[in-house]
Amino acid sequence: MFRLDGNVALITGGSQGIGRAIAELFAEVGARVAIVSRRLSAGQETVAHLTLMGGQAIHIQADVTNEADVKRSLDATLDRYGRLDILVNNAGVNHRLTLEATTEEVWRETFDANLRGAFLYAKHAMPHFQEQRRGCIINIAGLLGVKGGAGTSPAFAASKGALVTLTKSLAVRYGRDGIRVNCISPGFVPTESNRHLIDDAPDPAARRRDFEVGYPLGRLGRPEDIAYAALYLASGEAGWVTGVNLAVDGGLLAR
């Protein structure tokens, strides 16, 4: 169960955090992986790690907001592996600014990274999926895209909410082509990009407890929690699942 043998997966933002955890798990269960990231050294290190694990992986340095880079990374994946089966739109940014502090530049940058990148990859991957009559897109959104919060960055929340809606729209439009489109909305998962919210506190242990108290399961998320959810959605066992926004949040949304 939950094998991806013979599948090719492209994962944006795959060199660290949740993206890397997804890449590692997908490679472990048989997928050939293309990792897209802006950071060359981190991408190369991730590929070296996956290769050492016995997996097959390549790194493509690209900016997900640049359409030429998007096309180039898809072409490179197809040139190397001859097909594409799974697209994971994971790359994104969160500046964690209040409404008053959010400039138009920050707003545009956030929407470009969190929404426009997913749109561009879906747009240019779709013809390949349609030709195969099968394909899977998994968009990594965020819990703040479906619920409010006093500390919510409005740009991040709005962009992730739009990503959830984009997911549903694509699922309905392309389902008859054998293409499934789903979304994962994680709760707080400490990674390289946001761990400072805990580590930089005067008392990191107390700060972590403050975060954890809101979660019915009593802990924060781990990158592998999201990776296992992505594996299910990418696998044949989820063959009748599309248009879903799966909250992987330790029960926070149920409160």
Side-chain angles (χ1 to χ4, degrees), residues 30-239:
R32 293 168 289 173
V33 176
I35 293 167
V36 174
S37 72
R38 288 187 297 182
R39 296 172 55 204
L40 180 61
S41 59
Q44 291 175 331
E45 191 279 323
T46 300
V47 166
H49 175 70
L50 296 184
T51 303
L52 190 63
M53 289 170 48
Q56 296 184 56
I58 59 172
H59 175 252
I60 306 158
Q61 187 176 23
D63 179 350
V64 302
T65 70
N66 182 299
E67 189 165 19
D69 276 12
V70 169
K71 292 179 180 179
R72 178 176 54 81
S73 63
L74 286 165
D75 287 344
T77 302
L78 293 164
D79 288 345
R80 177 65 176 269
Y81 295 129
R83 62 182 298 117
L84 177 66
D85 303 283
I86 303 161
L87 168 64
V88 181
N89 287 310
N90 168 71
V93 299
N94 183 3
H95 291 289
R96 296 182 178 82
L97 296 174
T98 64
L99 177 66
E100 294 80 4
T102 301
T103 63
E104 288 189 60
E105 181 181 1
V106 167
W107 184 272
R108 284 193 297 268
E109 180 188 347
T110 303
F111 269 77
D112 276 353
N114 295 351
L115 185 63
R116 185 167 177 266
F119 150 70
L120 289 173
Y121 269 99
K123 174 183 176 180
H124 293 293
M126 201 63 75
H128 305 290
F129 291 154
Q130 289 176 304
E131 184 178 352
Q132 294 171 172
R133 299 294 301 174
R134 70 182 297 268
C136 172
I137 300 176
I138 301 170
N139 295 319
I140 307 300
L143 208 61
L144 294 178
V146 294
K147 71 181 296 291
T152 301
S153 161
F156 179 82
S159 65
K160 292 299 188 178
L163 183 58
V164 173
T165 305
L166 175 65
T167 298
K168 295 178 181 293
S169 297
L170 297 181
V172 173
R173 169 61 181 83
Y174 295 100
R176 293 300 178 95
D177 294 328
I179 299 161
R180 298 184 299 107
V181 188
N182 292 294
C183 191
I184 299 173
S185 286
F188 184 51
V189 180
T191 65
E192 294 89 341
S193 65
N194 62 14
R195 196 172 286 125
H196 66 277
L197 295 174
I198 294 175
D199 295 345
D200 292 350
D203 186 342
R207 180 62 168 161
R208 174 175 284 271
R209 288 193 297 271
D210 288 342
F211 275 108
E212 290 174 339
V213 72
Y215 289 88
L217 288 183
R219 68 169 175 86
L220 301 182
R222 303 174 184 129
E224 55 267 31
D225 293 323
I226 314 307
Y228 278 109
L231 173 58
Y232 166 67
L233 292 175
S235 71
E237 284 77 10

Side-chain angles (χ1 to χ4, degrees), residues 10-27:
L10 185 152
I11 302 165
T12 69
S15 65
Q16 64 178 13
I18 289 172
R20 175 165 172 155
I22 293 172
E24 290 178 352
L25 183 58
F26 280 19

